[in-house]
């Protein structure tokens, strides 16, 4: 595939276009001008935009990071050459989904390209997945190092084995280990669960056998106790017949005495209900209180009347004395009272005191009658109290008689209900039989809870069969893992030299022959050998510039091995050479220029050094974006 043109409305890009040479295209732009945005746009045109991605702290999703600044819909056009065809790939936003609408048209015919969809366009044009594209031909300053991935592993394994790319060694190894762990992993997995289930069933069988043996022993003991109990029950029946005649006579006598006592109590209760517990006494006391209150009222009335008469008498005396003795002898006396004759005052005073005498006589007669009534009421009250005491005494006697009769009746009833005396051995036999029957019920309940022994045996056979199957699977997986490790070792021995040799060629060229050999492990750990030295040096011992050259050599080697002809995919570099000094930069650019004869190379840079190195190179097309 050859990339010819990109037109983007994407992030900071507003309907901007980039045109590329079929060989080497050098694009210069200052930082912030959209170099990384162009690279992200290229990947989006090839592999689409993951709209399911969510924002994370410090890392927004691509659908939000590259939303056009102008607010226009996200869209783009990619013109590329695949074999003899020139294709136009369009992605536009539709239905609220950014880059959700896709079309692919053959420029020569103007017709849609059959079989090319939004999901497979990237892999169809490049021959690799997005992950392999990122890890092989897409080089960024912050992601230059080669790291292991299952997709890259598939491609490399396919190159050296001419096999299928359906699964990688690490995927197969992880899948087999997952299956094995599913069967047994320490104390977890299907096998430990089934083994525990088998042990539980064995414990159930043993417990069932023990319970059955214990139940048989208890049943034998209970049978012997039942025979003994039958003997004592027969003896008790004879004693009961003798005891029954005497107890019936005594019971009848006690019942008759109790009925008589209860009848007397009921009679007294009915009599009490007719008169009330203290009815007569309360009435008498209330009448006596009323009489006393009448006497007190008359006394208060008489006292008040006498006081009024005294005051009136004093007033008459004052009316007689003032005009005759005080008014003539006291100068300026404020009152002027007419002078009345003495007989008038004497008549008034005598009449008032006559009324006092009359009221006194009437009060004495009334008080005499009231005291007589009080004496009569007091006598009646005393008689009532004596009658109440007699009733209370009779009530207490009746209650005592009833309680005594009740106790006697209860004692006789208990004697009648009680069985005749038997020796302690009989009661001990009865209690032992009861305990044995309870123990049998308990043992039978435990047996019922354990389940049918036949069903337990069937479950045990089923579990053992499943254990045998899973154990056979586990052993087979163990054999498969050993075989896979052996095959991987052979495969690694085959592809590692090819990748190491190809990376060594690039590295020797980038370092002008200073380093001649590169060794790469399965985990992508790298060591290098300098000149004719026999010792390998780890990557950590190299300078930063040399390490950057080594990473570049490895990425180019991976691209050659993973994407050989006819799947040559452009190598895209986004400020990937910014850390190289001038000498190393010139060697890297020369290597990329030679590579561009076979594979399209696109280099984005924010520096002018690349332009100075390649300004006279006839096969390099230079593009300078605004602000550079």
């Amino acid at each position: 595939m050859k990339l010819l043109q990109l037109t983007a409305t994407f992030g900071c890009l507003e309907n901007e276009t980039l045109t590329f040479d079929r060989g080497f295209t050098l694009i210069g732009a200052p930082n912030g001008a959209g170099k990384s945005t162009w690279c992200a746009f290229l990947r989006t045109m090839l592999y689409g935009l993951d709209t399911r991605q969510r924002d994370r702290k410090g890392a927004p999703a691509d659908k939000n990071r590259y939303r056009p600044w102008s607010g226009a819909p996200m869209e783009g056009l990619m013109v590329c050459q695949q074999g003899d065809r020139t294709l136009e790939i369009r992605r536009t936003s539709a239905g609220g989904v950014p880059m959700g609408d896709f079309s692919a048209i053959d420029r020569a015919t103007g017709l849609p390209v059959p079989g090319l969809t939004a999901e497979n366009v990237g892999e169809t044009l490049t021959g690799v997945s997005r992950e392999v594209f990122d890890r092989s031909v897409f080089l960024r300053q912050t992601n230059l190092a080669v790291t292991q991935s299952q997709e890259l592993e598939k491609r490399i394994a396919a190159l050296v084995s001419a096999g299928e790319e359906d699964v990688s060694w690490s995927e197969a190894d992880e899948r087999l280990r997952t299956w094995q762990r599913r069967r047994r992993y320490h104390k977890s997995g299907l096998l430990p669960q089934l083994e525990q289930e088998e042990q539980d069933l064995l414990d159930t069988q043993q417990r069932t056998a023990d319970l059955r043996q214990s139940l048989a022993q208890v049943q034998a003991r209970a049978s012997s106790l039942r025979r003994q109990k039958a003997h004592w029950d027969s003896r008790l029946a004879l004693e009961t017949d003798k005891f029954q005649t005497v107890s019936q006579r005594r019971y009848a006598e006690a019942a008759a005495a109790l009925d008589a006592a209860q009848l007397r109590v009921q009679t007294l209760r009915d009599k009490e209900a007719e008169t009330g517990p203290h009815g007569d006494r309360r009435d008498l006391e209330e009448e006596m209180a009323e009489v006393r209150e009448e006497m007190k009222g008359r006394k208060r009335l008489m006292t008040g009347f006498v006081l009024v008469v005294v005051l009136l008498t004093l007033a008459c005396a004052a009316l007689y004395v003032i005009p005759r003795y005080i008014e003539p002898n006291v100068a300026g006396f404020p009152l002027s009272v007419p002078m009345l004759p003495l007989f008038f005052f004497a008549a008034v005073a005598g009449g008032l005191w006559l009324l006092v005498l009359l009221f006194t006589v009437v009060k004495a007669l009334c008080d005499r009658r009231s005291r007589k009534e009080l004496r009569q009421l007091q006598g009646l009250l005393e008689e009532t109290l004596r009658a109440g005491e007699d009733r209370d005494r009779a009530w207490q006697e009746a209650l005592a008689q009833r309680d005594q009769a009740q106790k006697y009746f209860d004692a006789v009833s208990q004697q009648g209900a009680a069985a005749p005396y038997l020796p302690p051995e009989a009661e001990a036999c009865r209690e032992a039989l009861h305990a044995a029957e309870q123990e049998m019920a308990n043992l039978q309940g435990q047996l019922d809870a354990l389940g049918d022994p036949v069903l337990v045996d069937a479950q045990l056979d089923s579990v053992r069969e499943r254990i045998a199957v899973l154990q056979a699977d586990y052993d087979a997986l163990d054999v498969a893992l050993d075989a896979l490790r052996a095959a991987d070792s052979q495969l690694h021995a085959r592809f590692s030299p090819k990748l190491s040799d190809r990376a060594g060629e690039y590295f020797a060229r980038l370092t002008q022959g200073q380093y001649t050999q590169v060794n790469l492990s399965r985990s992508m750990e790298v060591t290098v050998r300098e000149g004719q030295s026999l010792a390998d040096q780890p990557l950590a011992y190299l300078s930063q510039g040399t390490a950057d050259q080594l990473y570049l050599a490895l990425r180019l080697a991976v691209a050659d091995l993973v994407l050989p002809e006819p799947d040559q995919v452009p190598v895209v570099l986004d400020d990937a050479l910014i850390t190289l000094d001038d000498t190393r930069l010139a060697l890297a650019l020369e290597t990329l220029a030679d590579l561009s004869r076979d594979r399209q190379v696109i280099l984005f840079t924010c520096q002018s050094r690349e332009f100075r190195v390649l300004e006279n190179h006839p096969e390099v097309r230079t593009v300078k974006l605004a602000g550079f």
Side-chain angles (χ1 to χ4, degrees):
M1 184 192 81
K2 301 292 184 182
L3 188 61
L4 303 180
Q5 180 182 318
L6 291 176
T7 301
T9 299
F10 193 80
C12 63
L13 306 176
E14 181 65 27
N15 199 28
E16 297 185 23
T17 300
L18 270 183
T19 304
F20 305 96
D21 190 86
R22 286 178 170 79
F24 195 149
T25 302
L26 176 62
I27 303 171
N31 288 327
K35 300 187 300 297
S36 298
T37 303
W38 277 114
C39 295
F41 174 73
L42 173 59
R43 285 191 305 161
T44 300
M45 292 302 297
L46 288 172
Y47 298 102
L49 187 69
D50 186 3
T51 57
R52 296 172 299 178
Q53 186 182 9
R54 295 291 179 263
D55 292 337
R56 293 179 297 174
K57 187 175 181 180
D62 288 348
K63 62 183 177 182
N64 296 323
R65 176 185 295 178
Y66 297 114
R67 182 183 291 117
W69 292 5
S70 64
M74 188 184 296
E75 58 186 5
L77 167 67
M78 181 180 74
V79 181
C80 61
Q81 183 177 354
Q82 185 188 40
D84 297 334
R85 298 186 301 177
T86 300
L87 307 180
E88 289 186 359
I89 311 297
R90 293 182 184 273
R91 290 184 186 268
T92 58
S93 299
V97 180
M99 295 299 209
D101 192 18
F102 171 84
S103 65
I105 298 175
D106 188 337
R107 270 193 173 181
T109 63
L111 299 176
V113 180
L116 211 57
T117 65
E119 290 75 21
N120 67 12
V121 59
E123 292 197 25
T124 302
L125 296 179
T126 65
V128 294
S129 66
R130 177 172 182 162
E131 187 175 12
V132 175
F133 179 81
D134 284 346
R135 295 174 181 272
S136 57
V137 296
F138 186 52
L139 289 73
R140 290 171 288 178
Q141 177 187 357
T142 57
N143 192 20
L144 187 61
V146 177
T147 55
Q148 185 185 36
S149 74
Q150 293 175 350
E151 288 291 332
L152 190 59
E153 182 186 306
K154 289 183 191 178
R155 297 289 298 184
I156 294 174
L159 289 173
V160 298
S161 64
E164 298 294 332
E165 298 182 25
D166 294 336
V167 68
S168 67
W169 176 88
S170 59
E171 283 181 331
D173 180 75
E174 180 60 28
R175 188 175 301 173
L176 290 176
R177 290 183 183 278
T178 299
W179 291 346
Q180 202 174 43
R181 286 193 296 269
R182 193 177 301 160
R183 284 154 179 81
R184 185 190 299 279
Y185 184 71
H186 298 304
K187 294 183 180 181
S188 63
L190 297 176
L191 277 171
Q193 293 176 7
L194 289 174
E195 289 170 352
Q196 182 61 45
E197 187 176 351
E198 178 188 22
Q199 186 60 46
D200 293 342
L201 291 172
L202 289 174
D203 293 343
T204 300
Q205 283 185 331
Q206 184 61 41
R207 179 66 176 159
T208 300
D210 295 341
L211 289 173
R212 287 185 177 278
Q213 183 178 1
S214 299
L215 182 60
Q217 294 173 356
V218 175
Q219 287 174 341
R221 187 169 71 251
S223 178
S224 175
L225 289 172
R226 288 192 185 95
R227 289 192 295 271
Q228 296 178 28
K229 181 177 179 296
H231 166 72
W232 292 115
D233 289 344
S234 175
R235 180 175 172 181
L236 178 63
L238 294 175
E239 295 292 337
T240 300
D241 291 340
K242 296 178 182 179
F243 182 79
Q244 190 68 31
T245 302
V246 176
S247 62
Q248 285 179 352
R249 178 176 55 79
R250 295 176 65 187
Y251 180 84
E253 294 174 353
L258 179 60
D259 290 341
Q262 288 179 342
L263 179 60
R264 183 181 179 189
V265 170
Q266 186 62 39
T267 301
L268 292 174
R269 183 182 291 113
D270 293 341
K271 185 176 181 180
E272 184 73 19
E274 293 176 359
T275 61
H278 304 289
D280 295 340
R281 186 182 67 184
R282 289 178 180 175
D283 293 340
L284 292 173
E285 289 175 349
E286 288 176 358
E287 289 181 7
M288 291 175 69
E290 290 176 357
V291 172
R292 290 190 182 97
E293 187 62 30
E294 288 178 0
M295 293 176 69
K296 290 180 181 179
R298 286 194 295 270
K299 183 178 180 180
R300 287 193 297 270
L301 182 61
M302 185 64 188
T303 302
F305 181 72
V306 170
L307 181 61
V308 170
V309 170
V310 170
L311 292 175
L312 290 175
T313 303
L314 292 175
C316 290
L319 292 175
Y320 179 78
V321 171
I322 288 172
R324 287 175 173 81
Y325 299 102
I326 296 177
E327 185 177 352
N329 298 322
V330 178
F333 189 74
L335 295 177
S336 177
V337 179
M339 184 177 298
L340 298 175
L342 178 63
F343 74 89
F344 175 77
F345 295 107
V348 172
L352 291 174
W353 285 104
L354 184 61
L355 287 175
V356 169
L357 179 61
L358 179 62
F359 285 169
T360 302
V361 172
V362 172
K363 175 180 178 300
L365 294 175
C366 291
D367 288 346
R368 181 179 178 182
R369 188 179 65 253
S370 296
R371 282 192 292 272
K372 182 179 180 180
E373 185 177 357
L374 279 175
R375 285 193 297 272
Q376 292 175 353
L377 291 174
Q378 184 66 33
L380 292 175
L381 179 61
E382 291 175 356
E383 292 178 1
T384 301
L385 290 176
R386 285 194 297 271
E389 291 175 355
D390 294 340
R391 285 198 304 272
D392 291 340
R393 188 163 44 254
W395 175 258
Q396 295 297 331
E397 291 175 355
L399 289 178
Q401 184 180 1
R402 187 192 64 178
D403 292 341
Q404 185 176 3
Q406 183 68 48
K407 291 179 180 179
Y408 180 69
F409 178 78
D410 293 341
V412 171
S413 299
Q414 290 177 359
Q415 291 178 358
Y421 173 77
L422 288 177
E425 292 82 356
E427 185 62 27
C429 175
R430 185 178 293 106
E431 292 177 355
L433 178 59
H434 179 68
E437 290 174 345
Q438 286 186 333
E439 187 176 358
M440 285 191 298
N442 184 28
L443 291 173
Q444 188 62 50
Q446 295 182 45
L447 283 171
D448 294 340
L450 292 176
D452 188 355
V454 177
L455 181 59
V456 173
D457 293 341
Q459 291 176 347
L460 183 60
D461 293 339
S462 175
V463 168
R464 284 173 173 169
E465 290 177 1
R466 292 164 62 191
I467 290 176
V469 172
L470 287 175
Q471 188 62 50
D473 291 346
Y474 184 86
D475 295 339
L477 289 170
D478 202 20
V479 172
L481 282 169
D482 292 339
L484 182 64
R485 283 190 288 268
D488 176 66
S489 298
Q490 296 177 4
L491 183 62
H492 180 61
R494 295 175 60 190
F495 81 78
S496 181
K498 289 187 178 183
L499 185 57
S500 298
D501 290 346
R502 189 60 177 157
E505 293 175 8
Y506 279 114
F507 193 42
R509 182 169 182 178
L510 291 171
T511 60
Q512 292 183 321
Q514 181 180 357
Y515 293 92
T516 59
Q517 186 173 342
V518 175
N519 294 314
L520 190 68
S521 68
R522 164 164 291 282
S523 61
M524 297 299 178
E525 295 178 355
V526 183
T527 58
V528 298
R529 186 171 297 176
E530 185 175 3
Q532 299 301 321
S533 175
L534 299 178
D536 293 337
Q537 296 183 19
L539 179 61
Y541 291 175
L542 301 181
S543 65
Q544 183 61 48
T546 305
D548 290 341
Q549 288 177 306
L550 176 58
Y551 285 139
L552 178 59
L554 286 170
R555 294 296 290 265
L556 295 178
V558 168
D560 287 348
L561 292 178
V562 173
L563 298 168
E565 290 286 359
D567 294 327
Q568 291 282 17
V569 177
V571 175
V572 181
L573 301 95
D574 180 14
D575 273 336
L577 309 178
I578 192 171
T579 60
L580 299 180
D581 57 31
D582 292 343
T583 302
R584 290 187 174 94
L585 178 63
L587 293 171
L589 291 174
E590 182 181 351
T591 302
L592 291 174
D594 291 343
L595 178 64
S596 67
R597 297 188 181 96
D598 299 320
R599 183 191 298 273
Q600 187 180 21
V601 176
I602 301 172
L603 172 61
F604 289 89
T605 181
C606 64
Q607 302 179 131
S608 59
R609 296 187 302 161
E610 287 86 343
F611 286 87
R612 290 196 299 270
V613 174
L614 298 174
E615 62 181 350
N616 296 322
H617 202 293
E619 298 180 358
V620 177
R621 181 186 180 202
T622 60
V623 178
K624 296 183 179 181
L625 301 182
F628 186 76

